Amino acid sequence: MQEPNISIEKTEILSDNWYTLKKVTFNIKKQNGETETQSREAYDRGNGAVILLYNISLKKVILTRQFRLPTYINGNTDGMLIEACAGLLDDNNPEDCIRKETEEETGYKISKVEKIFEAYMSPGSVTEILYFFIAEYSDEMKINKGGGLEEEGENIEVLELDFNETLSMIDKGEIKDAKTIMLLQHLRLKNIL
């Protein structure tokens, strides 16, 4: 398939409150050679990084649980979501970002991280690329209780769970976060745990 020819005609800022919501009007040359004008909205919240900490000897992983308003609005009765540790890059590179987020959210200070892939998580409406990492952890790496930063309004519960239990939690609908499911399945597919 040939790459489409795109020309952006107009960009409007619809909201710049928390992150940026834009309405973009563009011309696109279709496969049949015709040009069509379309408008789409795109939410730009920046790029992010996510990590799954695992312990081979214990066959355990570290996850977090926190309130997520969008899930509450869309039927998650208490709004709580079990997730892998993640954060926005801001001005950091992905590796530095995820080390910082890991310490803030989980309390583990890690040095060696392995990037496994990157992915657009919701390409129909969100610009974000998410960088996926895994890293081994041990009790000696725990330097604080974690829980996130109070000044950022974070109230994060740290969970140490049996790996096989997390796979069962996916099947039962207790883990519904896409990035977390992708990381757990990666450990499974690569026979890491």
Side-chain angles (χ1 to χ4, degrees), residues 3-170:
E3 288 188 33
N5 293 324
I6 305 286
S7 66
I8 294 178
E9 300 300 313
K10 181 168 70 169
T11 301
E12 303 168 71
I13 304 291
L14 300 180
S15 175
D16 195 13
N17 186 25
W18 188 252
Y19 299 111
T20 306
L21 178 62
K22 298 176 182 178
K23 180 179 180 182
V24 179
T25 303
F26 58 96
N27 292 325
I28 182 168
K29 187 174 183 180
K30 301 188 314 184
Q31 288 182 357
N32 66 6
E34 294 177 14
T35 299
E36 180 176 83
T37 300
Q38 297 181 359
S39 288
R40 297 287 186 271
E41 292 179 6
Y43 190 54
D44 185 357
R45 58 186 304 273
N47 295 327
V50 60
I51 192 166
L52 182 58
L53 301 179
Y54 64 93
N55 184 299
I56 291 176
S57 62
L58 298 175
K59 304 253 186 278
K60 292 189 180 265
V61 295
I62 299 293
L63 296 175
T64 64
R65 181 177 16 229
Q66 63 183 306
F67 177 76
R68 295 297 197 181
L69 177 65
T71 74
Y72 180 76
I73 292 169
N74 196 24
N76 183 3
T77 54
D78 65 1
M80 299 301 285
L81 199 65
I82 296 173
E83 304 175 60
C85 170
L88 294 176
L89 299 186
D90 298 322
D91 293 326
N92 295 314
N93 67 52
E95 292 86 0
D96 291 341
C97 166
I98 205 57
R99 283 186 193 94
K100 179 175 89 45
E101 289 294 329
T102 300
E103 190 172 323
E104 289 173 4
E105 290 188 7
T106 71
Y108 287 90
K109 185 173 185 68
I110 56 170
S111 55
K112 184 180 175 194
V113 297
E114 178 186 349
K115 180 182 171 197
I116 53 174
F117 54 81
E118 55 191 69
Y120 289 100
M121 294 303 294
S122 189
S125 60
V126 181
T127 61
E128 178 184 38
I129 293 175
L130 195 56
Y131 298 89
F132 286 75
F133 294 91
I134 57 174
E136 288 191 66
Y137 78 93
S138 64
D139 288 342
E140 299 79 42
M141 296 175 175
K142 186 84 168 168
I143 61 166
N144 64 55
K145 65 182 176 83
L149 298 178
E150 192 172 313
E151 61 268 21
E152 291 183 7
E154 294 178 320
N155 184 23
I156 299 169
E157 180 184 0
V158 180
L159 307 171
E160 184 176 41
L161 299 170
D162 176 77
F163 176 65
N164 287 325
E165 179 186 351
T166 64
L167 298 176
S168 175
M169 292 170 76
I170 294 169

